[in-house]
Amino acid sequence: ASKDLYLLGRIGVLWTVAGTALEAASLFCYALLTRVLLPADGRPGIGRLFGIDLSAAAVAHVIPAGTIGSAGVGYQLFTAEGVDGTDVGVMMATKGMGSTVVLNVLLWLALVVSIPLAGFRPLYGTVAIVGAALLAGCAALVIGFTRGGARAARMLRAVGDKIPRVGGERLEKIVLQASDSLRQLATDRRVLVWSLTWASLNWLLDAASLWCFIAAFGSFANPVELFAAYGIANVLGAIPISPAGLGVIDSVTPVLLVSFGLTRSVATLGVLGWRLVNFWLPIPA
C-alpha cells in the first residue's frame, strides 16, 4: 500500500464519511438483532445493547479465535444487566448461527449473478465447501437442540457431574430450557422476520461501507461483484486462524476485487480504509 499513498491526496471525503456512517449503521443493526432475540421482559435499552455488542466485538478483534472470548465477555455483561443466563445463551447461539446462514445465502445469490458477468473462479468451489460446512454445523446444532434436547441434556448431566462447581443438574436444566426457547423462537414469525431483516442489513450495510471506500478513490465497483468478493472474504475469515479474520479478509478482498476489474492500488487502499472502520474503530470505541 505504501506505493499508492499518493492516492490519498485525491480521496473523496464525502464518500469516506458515508462509508463510516454505513459501518456504524451496520453495527447498530447487529444490536437491533440482539434486541429482537432477547425476551422483552427485563431487556436492557438499545444503547446498552449496542455498547455490549461493541465491547464483545472489540474482544473478538484482539485475540485469536476471538468469538469464544467475545461470547464469554458478552455473557457476563448481559447477565450483569439482569438478563437470564439461558436467554442470553439462546440469543447468542441463534444470533451467531443466523448471521452465518444469512451471509452464505446472500453470498450464493451474489455468486449466481456474478458468474455470468465475470465467469467462474476456482475459489468459488472452496468457498462453497466452507459455506456448506458452516451451514451443516448450524443445522446439526439446531436439530440437536430442538429434536434431541432431552438426550443432549442427559449427556451433559453426566459430564457436568464430573466438573467441579458446575453440576450435571444445572447443565441439564440449561439445555432443556434452551431447547424450549429455540422451539418457541422458530414458531414466532415476527421474530423470524425481524431477525432476518436486521441480520441481512448488518451484512449489506457493511458491504455498502466497503463500496463507499472504493468510491472514495474514484472507482465505482459493480455492487454484485463487490458483494461476491466481500462475502467470499468473510466466509474464509470465519475460519478461526486470526482475530475476526485479520489478515485473511484484508488480503483476499483486494485480490478478488482486482480480478473483478478494479486497479490494484484502488482495491488495496479502499479495503484498508474500510477495515480501518470495520475492524479497528470498534476497539477504541
Side-chain angles (χ1 to χ4, degrees), residues 27 47 51 62 68 100 157 163 170 180 185 192 199 217 226 244 284:
L27 293 171
V62 296
I68 298 173
T100 300
R157 179 176 185 133
I163 302 176
R170 183 182 178 189
D180 290 339
L185 183 64
L192 281 175
F217 291 98
L226 179 134

Side-chain angles (χ1 to χ4, degrees), residues 56-278:
V59 172
H61 290 186
V62 296
I63 59 175
T67 304
I68 298 173
S70 68
V73 169
Y75 184 88
Q76 290 183 3
L77 292 174
F78 280 118
T79 53
E81 293 292 324
V83 184
D84 181 74
T86 303
D87 291 333
V88 174
V90 171
M91 176 274 294
M92 295 176 77
T94 305
K95 185 169 65 171
M97 290 187 293
S99 260
T100 300
V101 170
V102 168
L103 173 62
N104 278 275
V105 170
L106 291 174
L107 171 58
W108 288 349
L109 288 173
L111 291 180
V112 168
V113 176
S114 70
I115 287 174
L117 297 175
F120 180 82
R121 287 168 170 73
L123 184 60
Y124 290 1
T126 303
V127 171
I129 294 172
V130 173
L134 290 172
L135 292 178
C138 291
L141 285 172
V142 171
I143 293 171
F145 270 107
T146 55
R147 296 188 179 180
R151 180 181 298 177
R154 288 194 299 269
M155 292 172 62
L156 284 177
R157 179 176 185 133
V159 173
D161 285 336
K162 300 178 182 179
I163 302 176
R165 293 182 295 181
V166 173
E169 185 176 351
R170 183 182 178 189
L171 275 180
E172 183 180 25
K173 182 180 178 181
I174 289 174
V175 172
L176 290 174
Q177 288 178 341
S179 176
D180 290 339
S181 298
L182 278 175
R183 277 196 292 268
Q184 292 173 11
L185 183 64
T187 58
D188 193 329
R189 182 173 297 180
R190 185 191 68 83
V191 172
L192 281 175
V193 169
W194 281 112
S195 297
L196 291 173
T197 299
W198 297 129
S200 299
L201 284 173
N202 170 243
W203 292 114
L204 292 171
L205 289 172
D206 190 24
S209 174
L210 171 59
W211 190 92
C212 286
F213 277 97
I214 296 294
F217 291 98
S219 294
F220 299 96
N222 180 297
V224 174
E225 294 177 348
L226 179 134
F227 192 87
Y230 165 88
I232 290 171
N234 275 278
V235 168
L236 295 178
I239 302 172
I241 299 173
S242 61
L246 180 64
V248 178
I249 295 175
D250 310 74
S251 56
V252 171
T253 311
V255 170
L256 290 172
L257 289 173
V258 169
S259 73
F260 285 129
L262 287 182
T263 63
R264 180 187 56 80
S265 55
V266 168
T268 301
L269 289 181
V271 169
L272 290 180
W274 164 65
R275 288 291 275 173
L276 182 65
V277 299
N278 163 274

